[in-house]
Amino acid sequence: MLTIKNIKSLKGTQCNGWIIKFISEGVYLHDDDLNIIKTEYYSITFVSGLGSNIGRILIGREYDSAYKTQYRYILYLNQKKFDTGGISKYGLQDKDGFIQSVVDTLDYQLKNK
């Protein structure tokens, strides 16, 4: 079961010619000594086959304040933002379904850009 706390376990996962190469945390709040106070999001990078296309999803680390059980996300393809939305904590729990939906969205965007 996938949760926001173990999202880094996705590294190396493959799906339909895409592989998750990098997972990092984006920081937006730190103290004067650069100690992290709060992390804003996780960045998950998908790379296709020979690396010709790069997809990235940013997922908020905390629930969206307006929707108490959703994480906000932003999708990018080759450094261009093309989709935003929310994913429920229950949708995230289905690891394979989550990965498949991101890959399907990236593939759809590639075919229709």
Side-chain angles (χ1 to χ4, degrees):
M1 180 170 66
L2 184 63
T3 66
I4 203 72
K5 292 179 181 172
N6 68 3
I7 206 155
K8 290 184 177 184
S9 68
L10 294 175
K11 187 173 180 182
T13 303
Q14 297 183 37
C15 181
N16 294 358
W18 292 84
I19 185 169
I20 298 175
K21 287 281 191 177
F22 307 104
I23 299 176
S24 60
E25 294 178 76
V27 176
Y28 78 99
L29 190 59
H30 54 81
D31 64 17
D32 292 338
D33 295 324
L34 299 180
N35 296 310
I36 296 171
I37 296 173
K38 189 169 184 179
T39 303
E40 183 177 40
Y41 60 83
Y42 289 103
S43 173
I44 304 170
T45 303
F46 293 73
V47 178
S48 70
L50 301 173
S52 56
N53 293 296
I54 298 174
R56 177 169 292 124
I57 184 169
L58 302 181
I59 298 179
R61 185 176 168 96
E62 304 293 333
Y63 290 137
D64 184 300
S65 59
Y67 302 97
K68 302 294 184 210
T69 62
Q70 281 195 353
Y71 300 100
R72 300 296 299 157
Y73 72 80
I74 305 171
L75 272 168
Y76 295 84
L77 180 61
N78 298 325
Q79 299 182 350
K80 292 182 182 175
K81 177 178 161 182
F82 73 90
D83 191 24
T84 62
I87 183 169
S88 75
K89 68 178 183 178
Y90 306 109
L92 192 62
Q93 288 174 352
D94 178 6
K95 176 182 170 182
D96 295 334
F98 167 70
I99 294 168
Q100 186 69 53
S101 68
V102 172
V103 166
D104 287 349
T105 304
L106 292 171
D107 284 340
Y108 179 83
Q109 185 68 16
L110 272 174
K111 291 175 187 169
N112 296 295
K113 64 177 182 172

